[in-house]
Amino acid sequence: MEYLRTLRNNNVIYSGTRNNFNQQTTSDFSIRFVFSGNERYNIGKRQLSIHNDSFLILNKGTHYTSTVESAIPVQSLGISFDDKFLQDFKNSWQLKDDTLLNLNTYPFINRYEHEFDETIYPFKGDLFFNVNHLKHHLDRGLQDELLINEYLHHCLINYFQIFNEEIFQKAQRLNFLSKSTKIEILRRLNLAKEYLYSNYNTNISLDELAEYACLSVTHLLRTFRQAFHQTPHQFLVQIRLQRAKDLLRNTDYPVNEIVNMVGFDCPSSFIRLFKDRFQTTPMKYRLSF
Amino acid sequence: MKIKYIPVFTNDIEKQVAFFTENLGFEVYGKKNLLPDREGILIKTNSPDLFIIVLTDPDQAYTRSQIIINSHDCLSDYHNLKMAGVVFFNEPHYLPMGLGAEFFDPSGNQYLLIEERSYNSPA
């Protein structure tokens, strides 16, 4: 099902199967989701790939191209927020008593009022639930704009929470005195993360990862562990396992083929890692659906 | 929407749980983190899918809703109930176990509408 909804307040929602190639400039701040398959965005020299476990933030005015490289149909959802809606949201969020009392918990409110971090974030928690509810209603033809905007308002709350968790809370873990250094290092570590998210199925060397993140290998390893409590390799394995799980559930590919598709070398180590993480074997997991 | 929990507030959780188990013959079903920093004890009743939740709230700082209604989609139910004239005294907000909003009935009794969310399963 494909639809493009422009609400009376100029928020825009697009849902459908993407074409093979799409070239655009974002007119507003927007969030991009993929529910099946994967979509690759080229922004300048960066190539970002989103799956159903992640989402992408695009700032107003960003020029991008997107391509679909997927064996299964790519269902995507894009939400663009009108400037005024975004500003009203920020004003109301700032005035909430609990927010005012917790400015240390939400430092981005003042310091990053006009700035969003354009990268890939994990699609999880309340954002996952609210976006899925919204899509469910829109797919069934919901016309009530008050309700649609209620969901959009909550999508922004949820995005800010994820942004706060992924940027500021993790920056606090870094062993640097200066707050601005912490934030800058965290931004670079997020570049490393987006590289892993986007190239998880290739053989990634630490050198190329460090170069992409503009950090030395030593610095990358040390700070990545400090911020995320795991190594880049552990993070990569986590992504591969999650995406293998998705392929097991949604496709008929043989397990051996999935092993190669997600970037593992050896089926036996894949099965061991899968069992460690999900407490079941890949075949048992597939048969449970 | 269906009624899922009946909250009971107490200053002495052990005494209250003992009342349900020893005097009334109900069973302890588990624990549930309903309110921030307040762990509740779930008591299984004779009705399937209906639980009593025993909560400590000595300072009465939190909700005293008498009935907790389960919702599959809190934002949608909140919106539809509001359109139908139900008076909510707070907007949907995030609780440890999901998204909730509270409303009054015409007699001033208090209800909590909650969409329980399993944050470990997706993504």
Side-chain angles (χ1 to χ4, degrees):
Chain A
M1 181 180 288
E2 184 157 357
Y3 47 83
L4 176 69
R5 293 283 302 272
T6 303
L7 307 184
R8 282 191 290 274
N9 58 10
N10 293 325
N11 288 333
V12 178
I13 302 168
Y14 167 82
S15 175
T17 307
R18 286 275 184 200
N19 297 326
N20 288 333
F21 181 79
N22 185 11
Q23 185 167 11
Q24 280 187 5
T25 300
T26 48
S27 56
D28 282 309
F29 169 75
S30 65
I31 310 181
R32 303 299 168 95
F33 305 93
V34 163
F35 292 89
S36 62
N38 75 294
E39 189 170 10
R40 186 169 284 267
Y41 284 79
N42 295 304
I43 306 170
K45 291 179 181 174
R46 294 159 70 200
Q47 291 191 328
L48 310 178
S49 181
I50 50 172
H51 290 66
N52 63 359
D53 57 4
S54 52
F55 69 91
L56 174 68
I57 292 293
L58 291 172
N59 288 336
K60 181 175 182 170
T62 292
H63 184 69
Y64 69 89
T65 58
S66 71
T67 50
V68 167
E69 294 173 358
S70 181
I72 51 178
V74 176
Q75 280 292 316
S76 60
L77 178 78
I79 304 172
S80 294
F81 296 89
D82 180 68
D83 265 351
K84 189 171 181 307
F85 185 86
L86 200 56
Q87 196 53 52
D88 286 348
F89 165 79
K90 283 192 238 170
N91 291 341
S92 68
W93 185 246
Q94 273 180 299
L95 291 172
K96 273 185 182 294
D97 289 347
D98 54 349
T99 311
L100 286 170
L101 291 171
N102 290 295
L103 278 179
N104 288 334
T105 314
Y106 298 98
F108 57 85
I109 287 169
N110 289 328
R111 295 168 56 191
Y112 288 83
E113 192 176 346
H114 301 293
E115 187 178 343
F116 295 93
D117 213 11
E118 197 168 48
T119 187
I120 296 173
Y121 296 88
F123 186 29
K124 63 178 185 177
D126 289 305
L127 186 65
F128 178 88
F129 286 97
N130 289 335
V131 168
N132 274 286
H133 284 324
L134 173 63
K135 185 173 185 308
H136 173 85
H137 288 302
L138 290 171
D139 287 352
R140 280 151 188 77
L142 175 70
Q143 298 296 320
D144 187 335
E145 294 201 5
L146 267 177
L147 179 54
I148 296 171
N149 282 313
E150 186 81 37
Y151 282 108
L152 298 188
H153 178 82
H154 275 263
C155 285
L156 286 175
I157 293 174
N158 303 149
Y159 162 64
F160 273 118
Q161 284 168 337
I162 289 175
F163 182 78
N164 181 49
E165 284 169 22
E166 295 298 313
I167 302 292
F168 288 98
Q169 288 181 10
K170 286 174 180 165
Q172 296 306 317
R173 299 173 180 170
L174 292 169
N175 294 330
F176 295 97
L177 285 177
S178 155
K179 280 185 185 173
S180 58
T181 306
K182 287 183 182 189
I183 296 295
E184 180 53 33
I185 295 293
L186 211 283
R187 280 185 193 283
R188 294 184 193 196
L189 291 175
N190 268 0
L191 286 175
K193 263 184 150 180
E194 76 175 31
Y195 193 79
L196 294 169
Y197 268 126
S198 304
N199 300 282
Y200 69 99
N201 53 356
T202 64
N203 193 11
I204 301 170
S205 75
L206 267 176
D207 286 330
E208 69 181 272
L209 185 63
E211 187 183 342
Y212 187 84
C214 306
L215 291 165
S216 71
V217 170
T218 317
H219 211 175
L220 170 71
L221 285 173
R222 183 165 52 84
T223 52
F224 198 99
R225 188 188 276 273
Q226 275 174 18
F228 307 126
H229 293 166
Q230 58 185 343
T231 64
H233 182 256
Q234 287 168 330
F235 182 75
L236 177 63
V237 167
Q238 183 186 308
I239 296 170
R240 286 174 172 172
L241 288 172
Q242 189 59 47
R243 290 182 180 172
K245 194 178 173 190
D246 187 47
L247 288 169
L248 283 165
R249 182 174 177 161
N250 297 311
T251 72
D252 295 324
Y253 291 121
V255 173
N256 280 355
E257 204 167 323
I258 290 175
V259 170
N260 293 327
M261 286 170 79
V262 299
F264 284 111
D265 292 327
C266 163
S268 60
S269 67
F270 163 71
I271 291 168
R272 181 174 47 78
L273 290 163
F274 192 95
K275 201 172 174 183
D276 284 350
R277 179 158 173 81
F278 302 118
Q279 286 78 53
T280 185
T281 63
M283 281 312 291
K284 279 184 186 166
Y285 176 74
R286 171 171 268 174
L287 290 171
S288 67
F289 294 100
Chain B
M1 293 190 299
K2 62 180 181 181
I3 295 172
K4 184 153 186 193
Y5 300 113
I6 299 172
V8 171
F9 296 92
T10 177
N11 291 327
D12 187 338
I13 201 156
E14 282 182 20
K15 197 172 165 184
Q16 188 64 35
V17 169
F19 171 76
F20 284 122
T21 54
E22 292 166 21
N23 296 64
L24 301 189
F26 294 154
E27 289 174 30
V28 173
Y29 188 76
K31 292 179 177 177
K32 201 85 184 179
N33 208 6
L34 174 66
L35 301 171
D37 307 321
R38 292 286 193 284
E39 191 168 65
I41 306 291
L42 279 184
I43 306 288
K44 191 178 176 185
T45 67
N46 294 329
S47 307
D49 300 331
L50 180 63
F51 298 89
I52 292 167
I53 183 164
V54 183
L55 295 160
T56 51
D57 190 15
D59 51 6
Q60 301 189 12
Y62 290 105
T63 175
R64 284 211 169 234
S65 294
Q66 285 95 343
I67 289 178
I68 300 176
I69 298 173
N70 187 50
S71 164
H72 293 297
D73 183 341
C74 181
L75 289 179
S76 174
D77 286 337
Y78 165 79
H79 178 79
N80 292 334
L81 289 171
K82 243 182 123 174
M83 291 293 114
V86 174
V87 179
F88 279 81
F89 65 94
N90 56 31
E91 293 179 356
H93 55 284
Y94 295 95
L95 295 164
M97 63 190 267
L99 184 61
E102 286 154 297
F103 60 91
F104 290 118
D105 67 15
S107 308
N109 299 303
Q110 199 169 309
Y111 300 77
L112 171 64
L113 178 71
I114 187 138
E115 178 190 341
E116 289 188 66
R117 292 177 169 183
S118 171
Y119 292 111
N120 297 325
S121 56

